């Protein structure tokens, strides 16, 4: 199954793969420069991650109507099903609907 990009239908490799039903942002963490742990992070339930074929520590893409940003995935069983917590994702807001996409680093673009 290939990903199509735009009306021309050109194939776009190296972007993402997998199934990506929407998720709701249920929390947001903003860090300070002095914090030991900082940077873009997504917390998600293990069963939600399994559906999207992503694993803990993997680089994923957070996509919404307003943004597309890379973040590291962390699993958290305490979250509600279909809910995620974002850390340091620019412009994100609670109750926003996003998709988490697996970044396909195994494919190489064709020349």
């Amino acid at each position: 199954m290939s990903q199509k990009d735009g009306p021309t239908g050109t194939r776009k490799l190296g972007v993402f793969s997998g199934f990506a039903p929407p998720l709701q942002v249920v929390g947001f963490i903003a860090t300070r420069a002095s914090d030991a742990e900082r940077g873009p992070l997504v917390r998600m339930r293990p069963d939600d991650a399994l559906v999207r074929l992503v694993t803990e520590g993997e680089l994923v893409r957070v996509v919404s109507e307003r943004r597309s940003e890379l973040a590291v995935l962390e699993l958290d069983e305490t979250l509600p099903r279909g809910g995620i917590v974002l850390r340091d994702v620019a412009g994100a807001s609670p109750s926003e609907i996003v998709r988490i996409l697996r970044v396909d680093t195994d494919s190489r673009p064709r020349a």
Side-chain angles (χ1 to χ4, degrees):
M1 188 160 142
S2 67
Q3 176 192 353
K4 301 292 182 178
D5 182 33
T8 61
T10 58
R11 185 176 171 139
K12 192 173 181 184
L13 293 176
V15 177
F16 76 91
S17 64
F19 181 59
L23 296 160
Q24 183 175 14
V25 178
V26 295
F28 183 79
I29 302 166
T31 60
R32 298 174 190 227
S34 60
D35 290 345
E37 291 187 24
R38 54 187 311 236
L41 178 88
V42 176
R43 287 189 182 147
M44 175 190 296
R45 288 180 57 87
D47 52 339
D48 285 334
L50 183 62
V51 168
R52 290 158 183 83
L53 304 175
V54 293
T55 58
E56 187 160 23
E58 189 172 2
L59 192 63
V60 296
R61 185 169 296 277
V62 180
V63 179
S64 73
E65 292 179 6
R66 302 182 310 169
R67 96 190 40 73
S68 176
E69 186 170 336
L70 294 174
V72 176
L73 178 69
E74 185 177 281
L75 300 180
D76 185 350
E77 291 190 23
T78 64
L79 293 172
R81 186 164 286 150
I84 61 169
V85 172
L86 298 177
R87 180 183 76 193
D88 293 341
V89 175
S93 62
S95 75
E96 182 176 7
I97 303 298
V98 299
R99 293 183 188 274
I100 302 298
L101 308 175
R102 181 176 180 265
V103 177
D104 187 358
T105 57
D106 298 330
S107 298
R108 295 185 306 162
R110 296 181 190 178

